[in-house]
C-alpha cells in the first residue's frame, strides 16, 4: 500500500499505512517486545508508551476513516467531530506523562470502543448513500470492533485471559487488514472508472 501511494498519490493509502504501523507499534509494546529489545531496564516506560501508541494509533485511524469514506463530501459533520476527537486525544497525551496509567487505560478503552462505533455509523450512512468502499469498511470494521471489544473487556478483567481472548485482537486485525485491502484495491478500479467517464464526457463536449 505504501508503494501504491507513491504511484497514485492518493492520501488514503498513506493514512492506511500509518494506521497499520501505529497498530503494530501498539501491539509490539503491549506484548512486551519493545520492553525486551528497546528498554529492558525501564519497565515503567512501557506503560507510558502504551498510552502514547494508543493515542497515535487512534489519530491515524480517524484520518484514515475520514479519507477512505470521503467524509468531507459524504458526512460533513464527521469532520467537526474528528477535530474534537483529536483535541481530546491531545489532552490525553499530556495526561499520559503523569502517573495516571490505570485511570487513563480505562478512559482510552472506553473512548476507543465508542469512537469505533461512531465510525461504524458513519460507514453505514455512506453505504446507504451508495459509496462502494463503505461495504468493505463495514465488514472490516465490524470484525475489528468485535475483536477490540473482546480484548478490551479482557483488559478490564471482565473476560478471562484465555488464548482465544488474548489473541482476539490479532485475529480481528488480520481479517480487517485483508478486507480493507480489498476495499483499497476496489478504490483503484473506482478511480480508473471515474477517470474514463471524465475523459468520455470531455470528448463528447469537444
Amino acid at each position: 500500500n505504501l508503494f501504491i501511494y507513491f504511484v497514485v498519490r492518493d492520501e488514503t493509502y498513506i493514512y492506511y499505512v500509518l494506521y497499520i504501523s501505529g497498530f503494530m507499534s501498539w501491539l509490539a509494546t503491549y506484548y512486551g517486545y519493545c520492553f525486551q529489545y528497546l528498554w529492558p531496564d525501564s519497565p515503567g516506560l512501557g506503560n507510558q508508551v502504551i498510552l502514547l501508541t494508543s493515542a497515535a494509533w487512534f489519530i491515524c485511524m480517524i484520518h484514515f476513516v475520514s479519507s477512505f469514506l470521503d467524509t468531507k463530501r459524504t458526512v460533513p459533520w464527521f469532520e467537526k467531530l474528528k477535530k474534537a476527537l483529536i483535541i481530546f486525544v491531545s489532552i490525553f497525551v499530556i495526561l499520559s506523562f503523569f502517573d495516571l496509567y490505570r485511570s487513563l487505560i480505562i478512559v482510552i478503552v472506553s473512548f476507543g470502543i465508542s469512537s469505533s462505533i461512531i465510525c461504524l455509523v458513519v460507514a453505514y450512512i455512506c453505504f446507504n448513500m451508495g459509496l462502494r468502499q463503505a461495504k468493505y469498511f463495514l465488514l472490516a470494521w465490524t470484525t475489528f470492533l468485535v475483536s477490540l471489544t473482546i480484548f478490551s473487556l479482557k483488559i478490564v478483567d471482565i473476560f478471562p485471559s484465555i488464548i482465544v481472548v488474548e489473541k482476539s485482537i490479532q485475529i480481528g486485525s488480520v481479517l480487517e487488514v485483508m478486507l480493507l485491502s480489498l476495499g483499497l484495491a476496489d478504490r483503484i478500479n473506482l478511480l480508473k472508472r471515474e477517470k474514463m467517464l471524465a475523459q468520455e464526457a470531455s470528448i463528447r463536449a469537444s
Side-chain angles (χ1 to χ4, degrees):
N1 283 289
L2 182 61
F3 292 146
I4 291 173
Y5 166 74
F6 288 130
V7 174
V8 300
R9 295 295 175 178
D10 185 344
E11 66 180 14
T12 303
Y13 291 90
I14 195 65
Y15 285 139
Y16 182 63
V17 171
L18 292 173
Y19 165 62
I20 296 300
S21 300
F23 178 62
M24 289 171 61
S25 300
W26 181 86
L27 276 181
T29 305
Y30 179 81
Y31 284 103
Y33 294 108
C34 292
F35 171 71
Q36 182 177 358
Y37 296 109
L38 299 180
W39 50 76
D41 299 322
S42 304
L45 182 60
N47 290 342
Q48 170 76 25
V49 175
I50 284 177
L51 296 174
L52 291 176
T53 52
S54 297
W57 173 27
F58 177 82
I59 291 174
C60 293
M61 177 193 78
I62 288 295
H63 281 296
F64 169 69
V65 171
S66 174
S67 181
F68 186 77
L69 296 176
D70 194 15
T71 55
K72 287 183 179 180
R73 179 176 61 86
T74 56
V75 191
W77 57 263
F78 182 75
E79 292 300 302
K80 295 180 180 179
L81 180 60
K82 181 179 74 172
K83 294 177 182 178
L85 292 174
I86 291 174
I87 290 172
F88 177 87
V89 173
S90 300
I91 295 172
F92 175 88
V93 168
I94 295 172
L95 293 176
S96 71
F97 288 94
F98 298 90
D99 189 18
L100 300 169
Y101 177 77
R102 183 169 180 81
S103 299
L104 290 178
I105 201 68
I106 294 174
V107 170
I108 198 66
V109 165
S110 304
F111 187 66
I113 292 176
S114 58
S115 299
S116 297
I117 292 173
I118 291 173
C119 292
L120 197 64
V121 171
V122 170
Y124 183 74
I125 293 172
C126 293
F127 178 74
N128 284 337
M129 293 175 63
L131 193 68
R132 278 177 51 165
Q133 59 262 40
K135 62 181 179 181
Y136 294 100
F137 188 91
L138 278 172
L139 288 172
W141 213 250
T142 300
T143 302
F144 182 68
L145 184 58
V146 170
S147 67
L148 180 63
T149 302
I150 293 172
F151 188 78
S152 299
L153 292 175
K154 191 273 299 185
I155 290 178
V156 295
D157 296 326
I158 294 177
F159 278 4
S161 185
I162 59 177
I163 186 66
V164 176
V165 174
E166 185 69 31
K167 301 296 183 183
S168 61
I169 198 163
Q170 285 104 316
I171 296 169
S173 62
V174 167
L175 294 172
E176 180 204 23
V177 167
M178 291 170 62
L179 290 166
L180 287 177
S181 293
L182 288 173
L184 288 168
D186 186 63
R187 183 182 177 87
I188 293 177
N189 292 330
L190 183 62
L191 291 173
K192 183 178 179 181
R193 180 172 177 270
E194 289 176 349
K195 183 178 180 180
M196 289 176 62
L197 290 174
Q199 289 175 340
E200 290 175 359
S202 177
I203 291 171
R204 283 196 300 268
S206 298

